[in-house]
Amino acid sequence: MNILAIETSCDETGIAVLQKQNKKKCLDIKVLSNILVSQIHVHQKYGGVYPMLAKREHQKNLTPILEKALFEAKLLKSLKNKQSTISPQKLRTIEKILQKNQELLSPIKKSLLKYKKPDIKAIAVTVGPGLEPCLWVGVNFAKILGFYWNIPVIPVNHIEAHIIANWVGRESESIEQQVLNTKKLFPAICLIVSGGHTQLILMRDYGVYKIIGETRDDAAGECFDKTARILGLSYPGGPAIAKKATENKKSKQLNNYQIKLPRPMLYAKNYDFSFSGLKTAVLYDYKKRSKKITQSPEYIQEMSATIQQAIIDILIKKTIVAAKNVHAKTIILGGGVTANKELRYQLKEKITKEVPSVNYLIPHSKLCTDNAAMIGAVAFCNLDKQVNWKKINVNANLSISNI
Ligand code: KG4
Ligand code: ZN
């Protein structure tokens, strides 16, 4: 069974084709193609994502990516007798769906006329949380395909997808696959950290989630992005700060500038986070020093290492406390920030030391940031949620909690 998955919730346009052979829930998912077009270059000069620009880019990218994803999955077959038109009735429906995404119309029409209906059983699409104008582009695109190919659509929660990214692309004999196969997987504590979210989620079973803590202001990724901007580093800030922090480590520089940053809410008796104070503290430190210092590579490296460590300390502490309190069997990471090597490594060390019996799952680095493969994987876990394309809606603030 093949599923086509679409992701447009933020600034990455993604389409993937996934296949599942095994009947076991969520296991044995094969990625036939996973195409991603990043818009980083478009948003770089704004230091963050600009929703209307992102919408425009998604509209431009989707049809070429669809063809590429189907081609790589060996499912793109040209029609022998190329149709010249779509029936007026069908065209009216397509035009109605695309009322607010006119730019999609001409390319998708051409593509539908050129190629056969592929061997796809359902379409998975992110319906939230995310940037509303961006989500609608992907959802309307899914509606067109669902309607034209006459197949169901499966709505996917983007946060659930960051969790289920851990189920994708595992070697059959790997430790991770063994963990996924065990009955000792749940309850799990999921730490989801991205540009828009920082959440601790209790996962009791497949599809059973409860948010037990989240950020009260900025997300951790947003903190990386904003502090990187203060330091004059490029967007996205996470990888830029991580790189400078590594340089700092390599240069074996000692704490020359004595930079001290707070760890907000570290000892608060809850699982919530707050990162805006950390960003303000970076700004204060930056402003109190001379330009000569703040523009020196040494200061930027040391500040980057200090920011990264402060964020890591907060994320690790809260995750371990939550895992202990709920007697978690597994700690699961997901989201762009969990591509951070230091975070991955330091959390592993902490688990080994403090909760050695707890399993640890981290996605492949390239599946931490937004992609469509993770959206398709959730759809395989939620095959019972298939609906007619007419019933799909967007919810920019969609929550994962359902208990
Ligand atoms: O999950 P994601 O691709 O998009 C959202 O759903 O937001 O996450 C993007 C975020 C950005 O804030 C970016 O700075 C951060 O993930 N990020 C990182 C790293 N790679 C991406 N943060 C820290 N270290 C990284 N290596
Ligand atoms: Zn994301």
Side-chain angles (χ1 to χ4, degrees):
M1 175 179 186
N2 299 330
I3 282 187
L4 182 102
I6 303 169
E7 158 61 36
T8 63
S9 68
C10 191
D11 61 344
E12 314 273 351
T13 322
I15 297 195
V17 179
L18 287 90
Q19 191 173 70
K20 190 157 118 75
Q21 276 117 356
N22 197 315
K23 285 232 162 63
K24 267 192 180 168
K25 193 150 191 169
C26 299
L27 292 176
D28 285 337
I29 297 169
K30 201 167 149 194
V31 181
L32 301 186
S33 63
N34 186 17
I35 312 293
L36 200 65
V37 171
S38 172
Q39 304 176 5
I40 283 174
H41 61 286
V42 179
H43 302 287
Q44 222 147 27
K45 55 176 174 286
Y46 304 101
V49 182
Y50 202 74
M52 292 322 271
L53 269 183
K55 172 186 170 179
R56 194 189 69 191
E57 291 299 303
H58 288 311
Q59 293 183 146
K60 201 167 78 190
N61 296 337
L62 274 174
T63 307
I65 301 184
L66 170 71
E67 291 178 5
K68 204 167 170 200
L70 290 173
F71 176 79
E72 274 193 19
K74 300 196 171 41
L75 297 176
L76 190 70
K77 310 257 161 60
S78 291
L79 279 164
K80 279 209 189 80
N81 304 316
K82 197 171 158 246
Q83 273 176 269
S84 55
T85 52
I86 295 176
S87 77
Q89 202 187 354
K90 277 192 176 170
L91 194 57
R92 266 200 302 280
T93 305
I94 292 178
E95 283 172 350
K96 207 169 154 203
I97 295 170
L98 293 183
Q99 249 166 9
K100 291 193 174 152
N101 305 107
Q102 295 283 338
E103 292 83 345
L104 266 176
L105 189 59
S106 161
I108 190 61
K109 248 170 46 187
K110 271 191 209 142
S111 187
L112 293 174
L113 286 170
K114 195 168 167 196
Y115 299 105
K116 276 189 200 164
K117 175 184 168 182
D119 177 17
I120 298 283
K121 287 284 177 289
I123 295 163
V125 63
T126 308
V127 295
L131 303 169
E132 186 154 343
C134 299
L135 290 164
W136 272 118
V137 185
V139 164
N140 286 336
F141 196 69
K143 282 178 186 247
I144 300 285
L145 300 179
F147 160 69
Y148 199 78
W149 293 338
N150 194 23
I151 53 176
V153 180
I154 303 176
V156 173
N157 180 311
H158 183 85
I159 301 293
E160 183 173 17
H162 275 307
I163 296 173
I164 299 298
N166 282 284
W167 275 249
V168 182
R170 299 296 187 195
E171 301 293 328
S172 55
E173 299 299 319
S174 67
I175 294 174
E176 291 84 2
Q177 188 66 43
Q178 285 165 28
V179 172
L180 292 173
N181 262 314
T182 62
K183 291 208 169 60
K184 288 186 240 147
L185 191 56
F186 305 117
I189 282 293
C190 311
L191 172 70
I192 303 304
V193 247
S194 69
H197 293 88
T198 303
Q199 293 183 334
L200 271 171
I201 299 160
L202 169 64
M203 183 178 186
R204 286 218 178 278
D205 200 344
Y206 286 108
V208 185
Y209 303 101
K210 184 181 176 144
I211 298 172
I212 58 169
E214 61 191 323
T215 184
R216 296 188 175 179
D217 40 56
D218 293 350
E222 200 176 350
C223 184
F224 271 118
D225 296 339
K226 287 180 175 168
T227 53
R229 199 158 182 215
I230 295 171
L231 297 179
L233 301 175
S234 62
Y235 175 84
I241 286 192
K243 184 163 173 263
K244 292 289 164 197
T246 310
E247 287 169 16
N248 187 68
K249 210 171 173 183
K250 278 193 188 139
S251 72
K252 297 209 176 53
Q253 196 188 313
L254 294 167
N255 205 350
N256 280 348
Y257 298 103
Q258 304 289 317
I259 302 169
K260 290 216 164 39
L261 294 178
R263 272 101 173 117
M265 295 187 69
L266 192 67
Y267 295 105
K269 298 241 167 301
N270 55 45
Y271 305 118
D272 284 346
F273 303 88
S274 166
F275 290 101
S276 71
L278 181 54
K279 173 197 66 196
T280 311
V282 171
L283 190 63
Y284 276 159
D285 189 279
Y286 187 89
K287 281 195 170 162
K288 79 175 187 206
R289 300 180 195 263
S290 71
K291 255 195 161 162
K292 194 168 167 250
I293 290 179
T294 54
Q295 295 190 349
S296 69
E298 294 78 17
Y299 175 82
I300 294 173
Q301 288 164 353
E302 189 177 314
M303 179 54 104
S304 295
T306 316
I307 294 168
Q308 179 176 265
Q309 196 54 52
I311 295 176
I312 290 176
D313 285 348
I314 300 164
L315 295 175
I316 290 185
K317 167 92 184 170
K318 297 259 168 177
T319 306
I320 296 284
V321 172
K324 282 181 181 167
N325 287 349
V326 308
H327 305 290
K329 300 212 170 76
T330 314
I331 288 176
I332 298 177
L333 298 198
V337 175
T338 64
N340 187 284
K341 283 196 186 125
E342 274 300 313
L343 170 64
R344 292 158 83 96
Y345 171 74
Q346 290 187 29
L347 183 51
K348 187 172 174 33
E349 293 283 288
K350 201 74 176 177
I351 291 172
T352 311
K353 217 166 127 200
E354 292 204 16
V355 279
S357 61
V358 174
N359 297 309
Y360 181 44
L361 285 177
I362 44 177
H364 287 293
S365 294
K366 64 176 195 299
L367 294 175
C368 289
T369 42
D370 291 349
N371 64 87
M374 66 183 191
I375 306 301
V378 175
F380 276 121
C381 305
N382 291 339
L383 286 174
D384 54 335
K385 295 200 176 139
Q386 302 183 24
V387 292
N388 183 279
W389 62 269
K390 287 182 191 157
K391 298 218 169 110
I392 298 289
N393 226 321
V394 157
N395 181 353
N397 300 313
L398 187 65
S399 168
I400 195 175
S401 273
N402 54 15
I403 48 168

